[in-house]
Amino acid sequence: MTNKELADLLLPGVDSDISKYEKIYPERNLGEKAIVTRFAPSPTGFVHMGSLFQSFISRKVASDTNGVFFLRIEDTDQKRLVENSVRGIVDDLHNFEIELDEGMIDEDKEKGSYGPYLQSKRKDIYQSFVKYLLEQGKAYPCFCSAEEIEETRLLQEKKKQRIGYYGRFAKCRRLTPEQIQEKVANGEPYIIRLKSHGDFEHKIKVHDLIKGTLEIPENDLDIVILKSDGLPTYHFAHLVDDHLMRTTHVIRGDEWLSSLALHIQLFETFGFQPPKYAHISPIMKEDNGVKRKLSKRKDPEAAVSYYHEKGIPVEAVKLYLMTLANTNFEQWYDCNKDKTLADFPFDFKKMSSSGGLFDVEKLMNISKNYMSRLKASEIYDGLLAWTKVHDSEFFEILMKQKDYAISVFNIEREQKKPRKDFACYSDIKNQTWYMFEELYDSHEKEYDFQTIQDKQEISKILTSYIENHYREEDSKEEWFEHMKDLAEEFGYAREVKEYKENPEKYKGHIGDISLVLRIVLTTKSMTPDLYDIMSILGKETIFSRYRTWIEQNQE
Ligand code: GLU
């Protein structure tokens, strides 16, 4: 029986002409340096930080080189599918502005001419490649049951031998064509295995773009390439898809490093050029002084929904991811404040081979800096979009009072050293509610007076401010002079310095007076510039808040 006859027996009706696929999926017409890469998740749930990080880097290198970034969904493990997760993955990428050039764009929609991008739709292609291997005598059927495989494993464990289907443990490798024919005729179920020509004692050198040059043993495992459901394993699908989709760079988690020798062997078996590999170490986290992997289960920040819920701007998250990705990014960004992420020359060599440490505090700091550089109108737009989903009360107010809100967000902004108040959109309401009448009215107000505590004294100060010192048209300098007049009137020093020189002469100083005016107006002892706040709130509101306080605090 020839190999061809055997192949026909095992995969009847499958066309073994793989050369036709070379024509359907020709070499891409791109520049010499163009990187074609992909994100290839299983549809088992949503994108988490680790895979977002991977896609972010893949998108970046593809964009930097005028290459292609595509999304392939790896659903060959049909038992693990989660409904609607393709949509979820597409949305997650989109929400982080990681755009796709090709690939799946919805549950059953795709774009691009190198598809299908859903593996379960590529069954015919995989089977052609498997049949081709069978014809070449480089693959064979395996009839071993799960129990037999388990028995072998136990034996190997007991004898302290390497686990797997190889060498003398590869029973079905030795079946004669007649035995195979007989088993098939008896209806025994089978899978197809690679007939590995590798020698485990022999080491090969492979270059990884992140880990450097590695010396690893050749693969000698006769791994499964086609499962009993007619779908390939990850390894075989990787070979077929990344070859036909003309992937130049495989950027993936380093849990795949142990399969690298096998993958290189698969490419060589077909005489294909293997892609370049970049194995990314998992993102780490320090937990009570111990480093461990960022965990989907334990760390809320591992879920991408965390960033949306908090309202951390996408760009800030990306800036942080780049600091994790390339150690020199922070310094570059510091020296190139007018540039954006797109201008940064990403370099695989500058990636940590042991895994970056995720630090939410640092991310928040980066976000604070980033938000401080936004224009007031950009803060408004970002906040509007965030409140639309997360805070309908604030959303309505922002819609009604656009110009007013922008003036609020403009306090100490759009200047050389802007104020760094907000690390995320969910911070803003908590810090600005007293600027919006509706929020102010419904807010529980607590006043923590720090220096002047006597309510009568405070009432008198407020009354005199209203009656004698407040002028709507005052410039900042005039306004401050008038506040000093108020201080003097009540026996407080006009300047802190004066007070410090002769503390016994005064009840306190100008700072105590302005603090009272600030706290009654806003309830807070720390706010942005009081003059700006007063100018925006306006006379009526200021007077009304002061008068209300006086009324409510009469002895
Ligand atoms: N489906 C594989 C995974 O989710 C893809 C690995 C790869 O990028 O090749 O880990």
Side-chain angles (χ1 to χ4, degrees):
M1 195 182 200
T2 63
N3 285 336
K4 175 137 191 9
E5 283 161 347
L6 191 67
D8 276 337
L9 174 72
L10 296 166
L11 292 175
V14 173
D15 180 5
S16 64
D17 172 21
I18 58 171
S19 65
K20 67 170 184 279
Y21 292 114
E22 299 296 321
K23 293 188 203 98
I24 304 176
Y25 307 107
E27 292 277 355
R28 289 170 185 269
N29 195 4
L30 297 168
E32 206 188 313
K33 297 230 161 75
I35 291 182
V36 178
T37 189
R38 77 297 188 275
F39 176 40
S42 304
T44 50
F46 291 85
V47 174
H48 55 88
M49 220 358 143
S51 43
L52 188 74
F53 184 55
Q54 233 180 74
S55 330
F56 166 69
I57 292 169
S58 305
R59 173 68 272 174
K60 170 73 178 152
V61 294
S63 299
D64 281 0
T65 57
N66 294 322
V68 175
F69 173 59
F70 65 88
L71 173 64
R72 180 172 71 226
I73 298 292
E74 307 214 320
D75 62 342
T76 57
D77 191 351
Q78 297 275 311
K79 290 191 288 295
R80 289 175 60 225
L81 305 187
V82 173
E83 224 179 299
N84 292 328
S85 51
V86 178
R87 175 82 251 166
I89 292 166
V90 169
D91 285 348
D92 281 340
L93 292 179
H94 178 73
N95 289 338
F96 272 96
E97 292 160 25
I98 295 179
E99 303 306 342
L100 298 162
D101 300 317
E102 284 175 18
M104 298 306 290
I105 51 172
D106 204 341
E107 261 340 284
D108 46 18
K109 273 206 210 97
E110 59 175 44
K111 62 173 180 181
S113 42
Y114 285 79
Y117 298 89
L118 187 68
Q119 287 186 330
S120 54
K121 293 220 170 117
R122 302 173 62 78
K123 213 167 172 170
D124 292 351
I125 308 180
Y126 302 124
Q127 293 193 354
S128 278
F129 277 73
V130 172
K131 189 159 186 185
Y132 172 85
L133 271 198
L134 284 165
E135 285 183 358
Q136 304 288 310
K138 293 177 180 169
Y140 63 90
C142 170
F143 299 86
C144 288
S145 63
E147 293 73 33
E148 282 171 282
I149 300 282
E150 179 59 10
E151 261 170 42
T152 310
R153 192 182 67 78
L154 290 174
L155 183 77
Q156 288 169 333
E157 245 175 29
K158 204 165 127 206
K159 294 196 162 171
K160 298 210 167 19
Q161 275 166 323
R162 239 172 353 108
I163 309 291
Y165 206 86
Y166 62 93
R168 67 186 177 86
F169 300 107
K171 264 194 250 165
C172 292
R173 190 178 180 142
R174 293 184 293 275
L175 293 176
T176 60
E178 294 66 38
Q179 286 171 313
I180 294 174
Q181 231 168 342
E182 196 186 316
K183 283 178 180 288
V184 173
N186 288 343
E188 282 189 41
Y190 55 89
I191 53 163
I192 309 291
R193 287 184 183 272
L194 170 75
K195 193 182 277 177
S196 172
H197 53 268
D199 173 2
F200 190 75
E201 299 305 321
H202 183 238
K203 290 226 160 69
I204 52 164
K205 269 197 187 152
V206 286
H207 186 72
D208 181 272
L209 293 169
I210 299 170
K211 313 263 179 197
T213 301
L214 308 165
E215 251 190 71
I216 49 177
E218 236 169 44
N219 172 65
D220 68 346
L221 300 178
D222 286 355
I223 56 116
V224 179
I225 54 178
L226 198 67
K227 299 180 294 178
S228 53
D229 60 3
L231 281 168
T233 50
Y234 163 73
H235 310 293
F236 199 72
H238 157 51
L239 158 87
V240 173
D241 294 349
D242 285 317
H243 173 66
L244 294 180
M245 294 178 184
R246 307 294 170 181
T247 303
T248 62
H249 288 59
V250 168
I251 302 168
R252 63 184 180 187
D254 69 1
E255 68 273 21
W256 293 110
L257 211 49
S258 56
S259 307
L260 186 54
L262 162 65
H263 296 163
I264 301 227
Q265 184 183 55
L266 283 171
F267 277 87
E268 280 169 358
T269 304
F270 279 89
F272 300 151
Q273 170 79 27
K276 292 204 164 75
Y277 288 92
H279 286 94
I280 300 187
S281 312
I283 298 177
M284 307 297 279
K285 157 131 190 164
E286 199 160 292
D287 192 357
N288 285 323
V290 182
K291 267 200 204 177
R292 59 162 174 80
K293 281 189 203 168
L294 189 70
S295 145
K296 272 189 268 186
R297 219 167 16 86
K298 293 189 209 149
D299 306 311
E301 69 271 30
V304 293
S305 53
Y306 172 86
Y307 304 87
H308 300 310
E309 269 151 36
K310 280 207 161 271
I312 305 173
V314 164
E315 191 64 14
V317 178
K318 287 184 173 178
L319 288 170
Y320 180 62
L321 291 183
M322 194 53 95
T323 64
L324 267 190
N326 264 191
T327 39
N328 58 327
F329 173 68
E330 249 183 305
Q331 209 194 353
W332 177 91
Y333 194 52
D334 252 8
C335 303
N336 295 280
K337 291 214 164 65
D338 51 328
K339 300 223 162 119
T340 66
L341 269 175
D343 303 311
F344 174 69
F346 172 86
D347 185 356
F348 280 113
K349 287 197 212 75
K350 299 220 166 66
M351 279 200 86
S352 150
S353 63
S354 60
L357 206 55
F358 203 84
D359 179 353
V360 178
E361 218 171 290
K362 178 150 186 191
L363 162 64
M364 288 307 197
N365 254 324
I366 286 179
S367 189
K368 239 181 207 174
N369 275 319
Y370 170 76
M371 286 183 85
S372 75
R373 289 195 213 154
L374 294 181
K375 292 202 198 95
S377 60
E378 290 171 319
I379 291 285
Y380 175 84
D381 291 342
L383 183 61
L384 194 69
W386 184 82
T387 52
K388 190 168 186 196
V389 183
H390 296 95
D391 185 345
S392 55
E393 180 196 35
F394 203 12
F395 174 74
E396 294 300 329
I397 294 172
L398 292 167
M399 285 292 279
K400 276 190 287 195
Q401 307 187 47
K402 176 169 180 180
D403 294 339
Y404 177 82
I406 291 178
S407 67
V408 171
F409 305 142
N410 206 28
I411 299 178
E412 294 182 54
R413 183 174 291 280
E414 298 183 31
Q415 59 190 33
K416 193 145 184 275
K417 283 212 160 149
R419 198 177 169 88
K420 295 177 183 173
D421 275 354
F422 316 138
C424 49
Y425 289 112
S426 58
D427 278 353
I428 297 183
K429 191 187 202 180
N430 204 15
Q431 294 192 40
T432 60
W433 57 269
Y434 57 80
M435 295 303 290
F436 298 92
E437 240 9 59
E438 283 174 56
L439 296 178
Y440 178 84
D441 287 344
S442 59
H443 210 279
E444 191 79 33
K445 291 180 252 326
E446 265 178 55
Y447 303 88
D448 177 19
F449 292 105
Q450 307 187 340
T451 49
I452 308 175
Q453 307 264 1
D454 177 3
K455 286 192 179 162
Q456 257 188 324
E457 173 95 339
I458 294 174
S459 290
K460 281 189 208 150
I461 293 171
L462 296 176
T463 308
S464 178
Y465 187 63
I466 293 173
E467 287 172 3
N468 310 317
H469 302 283
Y470 177 82
R471 310 248 187 305
E472 206 170 7
E473 62 286 357
D474 274 356
S475 68
K476 188 162 184 180
E477 290 68 32
E478 291 162 340
W479 167 85
F480 199 42
E481 275 311 305
H482 287 141
M483 207 180 303
K484 288 179 181 174
D485 296 342
L486 174 69
E488 194 172 342
E489 182 186 322
F490 282 84
Y492 293 78
R494 295 181 75 91
E495 311 281 343
V496 182
K497 197 166 145 252
E498 274 171 31
Y499 171 75
K500 286 201 173 140
E501 282 164 9
N502 289 301
E504 68 293 339
K505 251 178 83 181
Y506 303 101
K507 288 201 257 176
H509 57 71
I510 172 72
D512 304 327
I513 296 293
S514 62
L515 187 62
V516 162
L517 294 177
R518 185 189 307 269
I519 292 179
V520 179
L521 194 59
T522 66
T523 77
K524 296 186 184 256
S525 57
M526 298 234 286
T527 69
D529 192 88
L530 185 57
Y531 174 77
D532 289 347
I533 290 179
M534 286 192 169
S535 311
I536 294 172
L537 287 177
K539 179 174 167 177
E540 220 174 287
T541 305
I542 302 170
F543 283 13
S544 139
R545 290 190 189 176
Y546 288 163
R547 288 197 178 115
T548 308
W549 190 91
I550 296 167
E551 259 164 49
Q552 288 171 348
N553 288 278
Q554 272 164 357
E555 299 282 293

